[in-house]
Amino acid sequence: MNFIKLLIVYTALLFLPFSMQAAEIEGGSIAVIDAQSAIFGTESSKQAFEELTASKEWKEVEEDLQLKINEATEIQEKLQKESPTMSDDEKIDAQKRLNSLSQDAQFLNQKLSTMQNEVAELVQREQAPEFQKVVSELMRAKGIKILLHSNAVLGFDRGDPTLNLTPEITELLNQKEE
């Protein structure tokens, strides 16, 4: 019986340094951030994506995609309604056209995604130096020793402004842009 008590005491003593460390961390020396959300939440980032979606190239690709989708929908509706009276050759031709339209739509979707990714990379590249500077200054000002990416932790109080620095970083980046 005494052995069990001794084991419990030693186990408690073993974890004492970890609990003291956790208390120090609660004192404000750790925080989290979602860097991508912070950067893409800035006004200049929003403007860059608005300019992309308003561009002639974007609108042309988007319009072409919508035409492909509309045509595919019409063919599907025709197949549903007229399938019993259609010949096998007509059904095969309709299915070939649907397959072709599907491939075209996938290509156009990929093109739109590529355009978005290019803008995203440009925004990140342009804002990276200022982002690093703002993060470093804020960490120093708040006495933060460890900054983790919000996806790297299993859980945290997302509403706690002392813990989640993402909104504050976005605000500071917006102020630097003005």
Side-chain angles (χ1 to χ4, degrees), residues 40 45 48-49 52 114-124:
F40 291 143
S45 174
F49 283 102
L52 171 67
T114 300
M115 292 166 71
Q116 284 179 321
N117 290 340
E118 288 171 354
V119 169
E121 287 175 21
L122 179 65
V123 166
Q124 285 178 323

Side-chain angles (χ1 to χ4, degrees), residues 39-64:
I39 290 173
F40 291 143
T42 63
E43 293 303 316
S44 65
S45 174
K46 291 175 186 176
Q47 183 179 357
F49 283 102
E50 286 173 6
E51 288 173 4
L52 171 67
T53 57
S55 72
K56 182 180 177 183
E57 182 181 7
W58 177 273
K59 287 184 178 189
E60 287 174 356
V61 173
E62 198 173 43
E63 185 179 304
D64 195 18

